[in-house]
Amino acid sequence: MTSRREVLQLGAFGALGLASMEGNDNDVPTVPLPTQSQLAPANMPVPYAGVFRRPPVLAPYQTGFDEGDPDRPFARYALTQKLGQAQFVPGLSTTIAGYNGIFPGPTIRARQGTRCEVRIRNALPAKGLLHPSAFRTVTHLHGSASLPQYDGYANDVTAPGDVKNYHYPNWQNARTLGYHDHNHHVTAQNVYAGLAAFYPLSDAYERAQLPQGEFDVPLMISDALFNADGSLGYNDRLHSGFYGDIYVGENESITVLMQFDTGPEAGGRYMIHCHNLVHEDHDMMVQFAVGDSRVNDPIYSDPAYWDTMPMNAYPPVYLPGLPAGT
């Protein structure tokens, strides 16, 4: 049995082989050899040898006030989903699909009371990086109280060449949110390929109580399998996926409590689904209506459209960051 300390000493990538170690019946099942990284010894990562780099913080391309009211600020951002190259393992590069072509994608730092509009263009190739389906995307801001048409409904797709404008009210109190792909049947593959990023939402109380700036460090921990050439390998173990943070065993149940504003403009259809993404992709989900389900249709109220703007119309601008390794 491997201790927690030994797991941490092996490092994130070194832990890839842990599933094949001996353990009791509660351990992760043995992973067949084809699902393990096929890297040559010279390309295997060395624990603690990599340099930590914070995801860049995206600057808005426009700020202002709704109808000139200083109590109603807004910020507008632009992102492009595209392929990029990442250096995960020594001596090899890995093709990823990311927001602005990087993983994790750019961090968007939002403030309570400042609504955000995020323009997301799909500039990905016709076929998926880790699946043969069309590379359509759906962006979901996880944890945001968004209207249905901006909540990442799994069938509200943005096809390659299209763009969709997402609106986030940001009225909630401080929390660490994240945006990621949510496309039906291929969420797991698209997120694994790199379509994930941070969206920290702050408020006055948090800024007064907790260290800010260089001490507020977004940290994403993930594991991956690599082919011999450094490309991403993917195997969902016959749809078994990975273990979530709350395990509900056979014949067990949980109760979920939710509160909604049921005003005349707040109705619509939402989804609830398993967050083992492989299970979600195989339809472990259901939709439900809040108030008048004809309001705020998640697919038709504000759909994606063909982007006529040139690719360089919204060049990314990042806020000054800290040096790598800090």
Side-chain angles (χ1 to χ4, degrees), residues 35-317:
T35 68
Q36 297 184 9
S37 290
Q38 304 298 302
L39 296 170
N43 301 125
M44 287 297 293
V46 178
Y48 309 116
V51 178
F52 175 72
R53 291 179 173 84
R54 302 169 189 243
V57 178
L58 187 66
Y61 69 83
Q62 184 182 16
T63 59
F65 303 97
D66 288 324
E67 300 179 353
D69 185 347
D71 292 327
R72 299 168 60 194
F74 69 81
R76 294 190 172 108
Y77 297 85
L79 292 165
T80 300
Q81 299 165 325
K82 62 181 182 178
L83 298 184
Q85 296 296 314
Q87 298 294 324
F88 294 132
V89 298
L92 298 171
S93 63
T94 301
T95 299
I96 57 101
Y99 295 96
N100 287 0
I102 60 176
F103 174 77
T107 297
I108 295 177
R109 290 195 174 274
R111 288 193 167 213
Q112 184 186 45
T114 299
R115 71 173 186 86
C116 289
E117 298 177 17
V118 185
R119 182 185 196 274
I120 300 180
R121 176 175 183 161
N122 183 343
L124 293 163
K127 298 296 182 181
L129 185 61
L130 296 171
H131 58 78
S133 305
F135 217 151
R136 295 187 292 261
T137 60
V138 178
T139 298
H140 171 57
L141 180 55
H142 195 110
S144 172
S146 306
L147 289 174
Q149 62 267 42
Y150 308 121
D151 194 40
Y153 195 83
N155 298 108
D156 181 24
V157 297
T158 302
D162 285 356
V163 63
K164 181 175 172 70
N165 297 301
Y166 290 86
H167 298 251
Y168 302 124
N170 298 329
W171 57 261
Q172 297 161 284
N173 56 12
R175 61 198 61 207
T176 300
L177 307 177
Y179 60 97
H180 62 83
D181 185 68
H182 210 227
N183 190 13
H184 195 203
H185 291 310
V186 290
T187 296
Q189 292 96 320
N190 287 354
V191 172
Y192 182 85
L195 287 170
F198 291 102
Y199 187 106
L201 175 61
S202 70
D203 60 20
Y205 180 80
E206 181 215 38
R207 292 191 293 272
Q209 299 296 320
L210 296 178
Q212 303 293 309
E214 64 178 302
F215 303 105
D216 186 2
V217 183
L219 182 63
M220 184 179 295
I221 299 175
S222 60
D223 54 8
L225 302 176
F226 293 94
N227 298 314
D229 61 358
S231 61
L232 287 170
Y234 182 81
N235 190 311
D236 62 11
R237 298 186 301 164
L238 299 177
H239 312 326
S240 295
F242 302 96
Y243 292 103
D245 55 1
I246 299 177
Y247 175 71
V248 181
E250 294 77 8
N251 300 316
E252 295 180 9
S253 64
I254 59 174
T255 300
V256 179
L257 300 178
M258 295 175 284
Q259 180 177 344
F260 294 89
D261 180 354
T262 56
E265 298 181 357
R269 287 182 289 147
Y270 292 85
M271 292 189 310
I272 185 169
H273 60 82
C274 178
H275 270 81
N276 180 323
L277 294 185
V278 177
H279 293 174
E280 174 200 331
D281 287 340
H282 289 83
D283 295 324
M284 191 177 288
M285 63 171 65
V286 66
Q287 67 175 351
F288 60 94
V290 176
D292 187 347
S293 62
R294 297 169 297 180
V295 179
N296 301 312
D297 185 275
I299 298 176
Y300 301 110
S301 291
D302 195 357
Y305 56 91
W306 181 255
D307 195 358
T308 59
M309 301 294 289
M311 279 291 292
N312 61 353
Y314 297 91
V317 176

